[in-house]
Amino acid sequence: NIIEFMPSALISVDEAGKVIQWNRSAETLTGIDAKEAYNRTIWSIYPDFQKYYDLCQETINSQEPTILYREKLFNDPFKFYNITLSPLTSFNVKGLVIRADDITELEKKEAQLRQAQKMETVGTLAGGLAHDFNNVLGGIIGTLSVIKFKMSKNEGLSPMDFEKQITVIDDAANRAKEMVQQLLSLSRKKDLHFTSVDLNDSIENVLAICENTFDKKIKISLNKFTGKAL
């Protein structure tokens, strides 16, 4: 009764993947009655589960449980599940217990919390970024003022001087664009996903934000990781 009425979908399979247990939550999750599932392989009932085939075999052979976080099942892009694969050895049957826990609501709350924390961080950085942005705008406005002043006095700019002034404006505009992109990337809502990153690049991005936020009296030194122990 405990297994049957668990809120988690609980499916037991033998070594060949044939279903020997299918509780009510599994029926609700899959829309498949337990009588239809018995003695059929989990791969035939749900072909997409084939992607876990190797993990299932490893779990059975190693007798060590495997936990998969934030998985999507049954072609539903809006639902998230934690899946636990546990080795099963009982009643002379060697197999696997598959447990699926719906964490969609928890994921939504965590996403809201992450977004609130990000917006709080944006508020913390706003003062430093505004100061740095004013410096960038000052560089652009000041350079344009010099050009306008010389033009009003009919003082021509040599090609070299003109190129120098344009370079100052271009550098300042690119810096402003970079700051805006960093701010947008921090505040924008994005789905959480995992990927390999270059820690040096990440640290440089954090360093750029810190230099714009911390008091200018604070000096930050950066030691890049070169593959050797530091």
Side-chain angles (χ1 to χ4, degrees):
N1 283 339
I2 292 174
I3 293 173
E4 192 64 22
F5 291 98
M6 282 182 66
S8 305
L10 204 67
I11 301 169
S12 299
V13 299
D14 64 14
E15 196 169 8
K18 287 186 178 181
V19 173
I20 56 178
Q21 191 171 50
W22 190 274
N23 73 351
R24 293 191 180 187
S25 292
E27 291 181 333
T28 302
L29 179 63
T30 63
I32 298 174
D33 188 85
K35 292 180 181 179
E36 298 177 31
Y38 286 142
N39 291 321
R40 291 175 58 191
T41 64
I42 187 68
W43 333 113
S44 64
I45 297 172
Y46 178 50
D48 282 355
F49 207 81
Q50 187 73 34
K51 63 183 178 181
Y52 303 122
Y53 179 83
D54 290 340
L55 281 176
C56 290
Q57 295 303 314
E58 288 176 13
T59 301
I60 293 173
N61 294 331
S62 68
Q63 292 294 293
E64 294 290 336
T66 302
I67 303 177
L68 306 171
Y69 298 100
R70 301 183 74 256
E71 293 291 305
K72 294 183 179 181
L73 296 175
F74 309 108
N75 300 318
D76 189 342
F78 303 106
K79 291 278 190 178
F80 294 92
Y81 299 89
N82 283 348
I83 300 175
T84 305
L85 307 175
S86 301
L88 170 67
T89 305
S90 62
F91 305 109
N92 298 319
V93 174
K94 186 178 181 182
L96 188 74
V97 176
I98 304 165
R99 173 180 170 178
D101 295 294
D102 189 339
I103 60 164
T104 305
E105 290 303 316
L106 177 61
E107 179 62 27
K108 287 180 180 178
K109 291 177 181 178
E110 289 184 350
Q112 291 172 351
L113 177 59
R114 287 194 296 269
Q115 185 63 20
Q117 290 173 333
K118 285 163 65 176
M119 296 311 296
E120 182 181 357
T121 302
V122 169
T124 303
L125 298 175
L129 288 172
H131 177 74
D132 198 48
F133 208 81
N134 278 333
N135 290 338
V136 171
L137 290 176
I140 295 174
I141 295 171
T143 304
L144 288 173
S145 296
V146 171
I147 295 174
K148 289 173 64 178
F149 175 77
K150 290 191 175 184
M151 290 177 64
S152 67
K153 297 295 183 179
N154 293 322
E155 297 180 11
L157 286 171
S158 68
M160 185 176 295
D161 287 339
F162 187 73
E163 183 179 356
K164 181 179 178 181
Q165 302 293 349
I166 291 298
T167 300
V168 171
I169 294 174
D170 186 57
D171 290 344
N174 285 327
R175 175 59 186 145
K177 178 183 177 182
E178 180 184 336
M179 290 167 57
V180 171
Q181 288 177 339
Q182 288 177 345
L183 193 59
L184 288 176
S185 65
L186 181 62
S187 61
R188 191 179 293 123
K189 288 184 178 180
K190 291 183 179 179
D191 289 336
L192 183 64
H193 66 280
F194 300 95
T195 185
S196 299
V197 298
D198 187 330
L199 285 179
N200 285 325
D201 291 341
S202 298
I203 292 172
E204 284 180 353
N205 289 333
V206 172
L207 180 63
I209 294 175
C210 291
E211 287 178 338
N212 297 327
T213 305
F214 294 168
D215 192 298
K216 301 305 178 184
K217 296 178 181 178
I218 298 175
K219 181 180 179 181
I220 305 174
S221 60
L222 174 65
N223 292 321
K224 285 193 174 183
F225 180 68
T226 59
K228 299 178 181 180
L230 298 178

